[in-house]
Amino acid sequence: MTRVLAKGSKAEGARVPMDEPTSLPAVAAPSLEAGSMTGRQLGRYVVGGVIGKGGMASVYLAFLRSSAGFEKVLALKCIHDSLASDDAFVNMFLDEARIASRIGHSNVVQIFDFGVDRGTHYLAMEYLAGVPLGSLVKRLEGRIRQPRHRLMLLRAVADMCEGLHAAHTLKDDEGRPMAIVHRDVSPQNTFVTFEGTTKLIDFGIARARERLQRTSTGVLKGQFAYSAPEHVKAEDVDHRADLWSIGVMLWEVLVGERLFLRDGAAQTLFAVTKDMIRRTDALDPTVPRALADVVARCLTRERTRRFASARELGRALHDASEALGRWPTRPDLAEWLAEVMPGAEAAQQANVKRAWTMAKSESPATPQRARWFLAVPFALTLVGAGTAAWYAAGERARTDAATSDAPASPPVMEAPAPPAEPVPVPQEAETADPTAASMELPSRSRTPRMRQRMRKQARAPMASGQLTLVTPNGWAEVWLSGRKLGVTPLRTSLSSGQHVLQLRPFGHTPVQRVRVDVPSGGTVRRSVRLRR
Amino acid sequence: MRRTIAASLLALSASVSAQDAREPNAVDLAEAAYNAAEFEAAQAHLRDAVDGSLTRSDVVRLLVVRSLVGFATGDFGALERDLLALVTLQPEYALGVRAPPPMHDALDRLRAQVSRPLGVRVELTPFAGGVRLQAVVTGDASGFVETITMAARNVGGAWRRAEGDSLMLPTVAPHDIEYYAEARGPGDAVLARDGAAEAPQQVRVQAPVAQGESTTPRLSMSAKAGIAIGAAALVAAVAVLIAVLLRNGDDSIRPQGPFLE
């Protein structure tokens, strides 16, 4: 349900967006797929694959290009084309850039640059190799009460408090407080890198007094379950609203359950404003009393009784955790993360390499429109060269069919034919290309056949298309192979090929099966009447 | 898929013609495209609709279809705006069974945020030689109103019209005038009105009592009472102050100077 309530982009750094923490993938390495910007050059950046999508923007892996080639990996948030003409959205996007770029702190994601190129607004930010705290909590389900895990998570939260404090106390050029409130502090917006650094991300709805533009609707856009009571009641909020959110995170980390999340948004809102909050040490006697006091102080609905600052809260956390053991260092956190999320770092590295390949396999300096004009002669040249090589190797001429296919779909000439069996959607980066290491070879040392094979391997998992599905006489859940794709009406990406979808009218059985054939790069549209 | 759209359109035109024998408009086409899972086509028709000519009920349907498409395409910002506009237009509106639970939840939440429905009212301020009419839009939480049109006339005279939220009407008080105001939104649809061309509001304009003093008939009784009480309290306070000062024999604090001279 929070999909509707989610704000612009929930995709940033290297996280999987839009999901409730309860449905996060086991391994948080992002899936990587080609997007509309892949291969383009935006400003100084060459764009690779998509690592996250939200309602407002998509986040791409990108590379800062120097005269010597690609050098720096970063994340590029690009506002959707459909919103580029909407001034309110663009202003919100730019506000995020302006605010976040002023906060120079190691516990806040760094914004390098923002701009517009051929109508595409983009935000260049630090690429975060790591996992959201929410994924860690999910991964530790059933084990989260172990003191070591608790300590590590508390350390991560305490570090985040420092970043938040930097934002809260930020001043403008004339020394006036900017009164920044994040308003969406949550486990999904708290990122732990493989180096053991915690980063607070997504100041997309943060508000500063100096802010030039505000969201006009006044609609609450954060995740309710972590929003402060005064926030959900649409009262004025200040930095103490963020301290409440941290309190909710702490409660959940210590207890291992969701505090306010309910079945419906209204129930969640009610719970935030009215429900009794049980002390963590009452629910679990192993929680030190001092720690339970810290959480309780954050979760008081009278905000004047909360901590005065995020820094004070972070220090209190540190002091109250003494009873659990030695306060972890940053390397401790990094080692622990590697234990808890085995293979995640390697998977993300593989994704970076694959994104690099995607970016390089396109002509970065060539505008997209021009590429189509170049593609036909390029394809014909390839066919000619391939045919000559074929003959030279003593093969029999079997190239007529290939030649006749060439002009119809020139860019596909380098790609494999669609596989007979559907290619699984790349859900987790553990499925990343096993030949990733070979991609580091200098391009000149590769033979044409090698290059072609590598391109096939790089592109094969991305053969996908779009499904749009409507059920005009009622809503339905849509499932595929035991995985819930969403609810109707729905537009989603699927691997190309045939699939049998299961529709559950109004979320219930009996299911209704629908066969779809998703074309590679195309869209299949289905309107299905539910049997009731 | 074209067959699906065609079938949807056929069904649509059949139902439309059965209802009111009108041609399908852009909102109808958008709805047909949506029902055929043609989201891009639906969006194109919705854009056409906004640029065309719509009624208030068309706008409600437009918002519903656009929010469904917004949900499907993940355009949640636009979705929230449309749902907010929907509850400002029709606070009791209920989404049908085709809308999934998250949309119902969001609508309920937004409904709770909307304190009053969209409306427009006119305030009148007489001045020497005429009356000024000022339209005030209320409850426009979503910023949905695009334009205001107003018209006023002396009873029996010709309409004087204005695009905007104020209008000056020359008149010789006391005189009856008629007026109306319309708040318009997408597709130039009238979203809210105070009076109408065929049933205008009528009011007698009195001569202004003093420069700048409003004699708007919409000044409430409680406001008038408040002003009277406030004035009385001020007079009483001044009288008490003077009495206290005069009773005190100390010259040093007796009021001096031009005030008492």
Side-chain angles (χ1 to χ4, degrees), chain B residues 54-57 59-60 85 88-91 116-122 135-140 144-150 180-186 188-197 201:
Chain B
L54 299 177
T55 65
R56 195 176 193 277
S57 61
V59 172
V60 170
T88 58
L89 273 184
Q90 276 189 232
R116 55 181 168 176
L118 183 65
V120 62
R121 61 186 164 82
V122 176
V136 179
V137 174
T138 55
D140 187 16
F144 205 43
V145 172
E146 294 173 356
T147 58
I148 294 172
T149 56
M150 298 179 73
Y180 66 90
E182 294 170 338
R184 294 172 179 270
D188 209 27
V190 177
L191 305 177
R193 62 167 83 242
D194 186 359
Q201 301 281 18

Side-chain angles (χ1 to χ4, degrees), chain A residues 98-179:
Chain A
R98 290 190 194 105
I99 293 167
S101 62
R102 294 181 79 109
I103 308 167
H105 194 277
S106 59
N107 295 118
V108 174
V109 70
Q110 196 180 350
I111 305 292
F112 299 118
D113 188 15
F114 53 94
V116 58
D117 188 347
R118 291 191 293 265
T120 300
H121 294 268
Y122 64 86
L123 181 62
M125 66 182 85
E126 185 181 6
Y127 170 67
L128 299 179
V131 289
L133 197 72
S135 300
L136 282 167
V137 171
K138 175 73 180 162
R139 172 51 74 103
L140 292 169
E141 203 169 9
R143 297 179 289 159
I144 201 166
R145 293 186 177 190
Q146 292 174 16
R148 181 161 179 259
H149 295 323
R150 270 185 177 157
L151 263 174
M152 297 296 174
L153 293 168
L154 292 171
R155 163 76 204 230
V157 175
D159 287 353
M160 184 264 280
C161 286
E162 273 299 300
L164 197 56
H165 181 73
H168 288 163
T169 55
L170 198 66
K171 292 184 170 65
D172 65 15
D173 294 336
E174 294 175 12
R176 293 176 305 199
M178 290 179 69

Side-chain angles (χ1 to χ4, degrees), chain A residues 147-155 317-319 321-333 335-336:
Chain A
R148 181 161 179 259
H149 295 323
R150 270 185 177 157
L151 263 174
M152 297 296 174
L153 293 168
L154 292 171
R155 163 76 204 230
L317 265 183
H318 171 271
D319 295 340
S321 302
E322 271 184 6
L324 292 173
R326 182 179 63 83
W327 188 244
T329 61
R330 202 164 60 104
D332 290 338
L333 198 55
E335 286 176 21
W336 171 79

Side-chain angles (χ1 to χ4, degrees), chain A residues 175-199:
Chain A
R176 293 176 305 199
M178 290 179 69
I180 290 174
V181 185
H182 189 290
R183 295 207 270 186
D184 194 19
V185 173
S186 69
Q188 290 309 103
N189 283 339
T190 306
F191 215 84
V192 185
T193 71
F194 294 121
E195 293 173 353
T197 303
T198 307
K199 302 264 186 183

